[in-house]
Each structure stands twice: as structure tokens, then as C-alpha cells.
Amino acid sequence: MEKKANTSSEIILKKSGSNKAVYSITPFTLLDYPDKTACIIWFAGCNMRCLYCYNPDIVLGKGKIDFETVLTFLKSRKGLLDGVVLSGGECSIHKNILDFIKQIKLLGFNVKIDTNGSSPRVLKKMIHEKLIDYAALDFKSLPAAFKTITQSNLFAEFEESLTLLMNSSIPFEVRTTLHSALINRSELAAMRNYLEAQNYEGNYYIQHFVNNVPTIGNLEYSEKSLRFENFSTSKINVIFREQL
């Protein structure tokens, strides 16, 4: 995913057991779940290798925390937090993720997922079983650049996930990480036009690549001049959101 794990405040726990899919826990955030106090569960592993990814240690690493330990932590936060953000990495690729979310919901938390949209079958079950309350869907690029940026062939899966969310009652946002060497002005406009052609309406968040941080790809400096331009239309509100 695009945002960086807050290593200064995260909890890293180790416990013997099964389902060690979680890399770390950020115990508190006001930024990652709209209008809610939340924690972030960082899942290890991803089926993409985005060149601008800020979390190579999570994407390329292995889980250190089992689900039982996470649930114990969440029980201690009942009444203190509103929600739980499942991020990574990519949470939807993990075995038993649906049962894990069911346990979180039983504790009374709202659940938000950050996803690259690569697992539409899992997402469909999440929606059908009412396991998620909010989703942030990463729009990496249009098909022409998708393989270069993500090192994967999963655009069709992203497209299916977008359709699933649009046809659901789940509140969600679409967001793109922008590196000037990977997506230029005309390509960003084309991505906005693609969303409009899919009948998407609402906010489209653009978060600039943060320079001088470790990433999966060896990327050059990214300039941020596009944030001063207006890409919004009558249906899509393009918002440049500074990456933290």
C-alpha cells in the first residue's frame, strides 16, 4: 500500500502459533480511517511490487504476529477505538482473513480495508457478509503502465473490485500515488476520465510520492507541480492529499 508504516509508534509482538500474517500494529491513528479513531494492522506480503512502495519491509517480509495476539490487543482497546484498519502489504490475500474480520466485528469495531483490488472474489464475500464498513481502493494506473508500476498483471481484478464497490452500499474512496516519472499530467487526466467512464462519482485522492524514503524501486526524484492544477470535473472531485 502507499502509506508508510509508523515505525516510531508501532507494536511488534511475537507469539508462537498459527496465522502469523501480521507484520506489526500501529496502536492509534486519527488519519487513516475517516472520522474515526483507529489502529492499523499491517499485513505482511503482497501480490504486487509497486516501484514507489514505502513499505518494502512489510511487502517482502514475513508475518511476526498471529491473529490470536491481534485479537487480544483489540480486546484491550474496546471502548477506546472506533475502528480497525487492515493494511499492508495486501490484507485480502491472506488465508482466514474473512474469519479474522468476523472476530474483529464481534468485538464491536468498524473495519476499513486498504486494498489494491487484486482479490475481487474475497472482496465480494466481504461485501456480501457485511464485514467491512469502509474501503480505500488503490488505482495504480491504466493498463498500459500497470505492469511496469506494479510488476503484476492484475488490472482486470482491480477493475472488477471497483465495480463491486460501486455497486455496493459500502463507503469507499479511490486513491492514486503519483510519481512524476511514472504518471504524467496527461496520464493522470486519463485515469480521471477512466473513472468517469466507469460512472464513478465522488472524491478521487492523489497522494504524491514522498522523496528520500526507501522504496522497492530505485526511483528518481519526483516533482509535485501537478498539485497546483485543477483536475476536477462536475462528477469527480480530484483532491491532492499530502502523503505522511
Side-chain angles (χ1 to χ4, degrees), residues 10-231:
E10 69 188 8
I11 295 174
I12 299 179
L13 304 173
K14 294 184 180 181
K15 179 181 176 181
S16 61
S18 60
N19 294 321
K20 282 191 175 181
V22 175
Y23 186 88
S24 63
I25 303 171
T26 299
F28 183 76
T29 177
L30 290 172
L31 301 175
D32 296 275
Y33 197 142
D35 303 317
K36 295 190 184 298
T37 59
C39 65
I40 308 174
I41 310 301
W42 299 92
F43 280 79
C46 188
N47 50 4
M48 295 185 185
R49 296 291 184 269
C50 300
L51 299 179
Y52 50 66
C53 180
Y54 303 133
N55 293 325
D57 49 346
I58 295 176
V59 168
L60 303 176
K62 295 182 179 181
K64 301 179 180 182
I65 309 172
D66 58 38
F67 288 163
E68 293 78 9
T69 300
V70 177
L71 292 172
T72 297
F73 164 76
L74 292 177
K75 289 175 184 177
S76 73
R77 293 301 187 270
K78 289 180 65 175
L80 301 174
L81 298 176
D82 303 316
V84 177
V85 179
L86 305 182
S87 193
E90 175 56 40
C91 66
S92 68
I93 66 174
H94 288 281
K95 183 180 179 181
N96 300 324
I97 184 64
L98 298 177
D99 289 338
F100 179 51
I101 298 177
K102 289 175 184 177
Q103 293 299 313
I104 296 174
K105 297 292 288 182
L106 286 173
L107 293 174
F109 293 104
N110 290 294
V111 174
K112 170 184 178 256
I113 61 167
D114 293 336
T115 181
N116 58 25
S118 61
S119 303
R121 290 183 181 179
V122 175
L123 179 60
K124 184 175 182 179
K125 291 179 180 179
M126 291 179 178
I127 294 171
H128 179 72
E129 298 182 28
K130 299 181 179 179
L131 298 180
I132 55 175
D133 304 284
Y134 193 90
L137 179 65
D138 293 321
F139 183 11
K140 306 293 186 178
S141 75
L142 290 171
F146 196 87
K147 186 173 182 179
T148 297
I149 291 175
T150 69
Q151 305 297 295
S152 76
N153 292 301
L154 294 166
F155 183 82
E157 287 78 0
F158 157 80
E159 196 167 47
E160 185 177 348
S161 292
L162 174 63
T163 299
L164 283 169
L165 287 169
M166 288 179 57
N167 290 334
S168 78
S169 60
I170 304 295
F172 76 102
E173 65 182 57
V174 178
R175 62 188 188 181
T176 292
T177 293
L178 180 63
H179 189 292
S180 59
L182 300 175
I183 298 173
N184 60 30
R185 188 192 188 287
S186 62
E187 288 165 335
L188 181 59
M191 292 171 71
R192 176 208 59 203
N193 293 343
Y194 164 84
L195 291 175
E196 200 164 51
Q198 301 302 307
N199 295 316
Y200 174 77
E201 296 185 20
N203 294 334
Y204 175 29
Y205 293 99
I206 311 299
Q207 45 203 36
H208 274 289
F209 173 82
V210 176
N211 294 297
N212 303 317
V213 296
T215 59
I216 287 179
N218 184 23
L219 297 176
E220 60 189 69
Y221 182 87
S222 178
E223 59 91 18
K224 301 181 179 182
S225 61
L226 291 184
R227 71 183 187 273
F228 300 113
E229 298 191 34
N230 181 15
F231 286 85

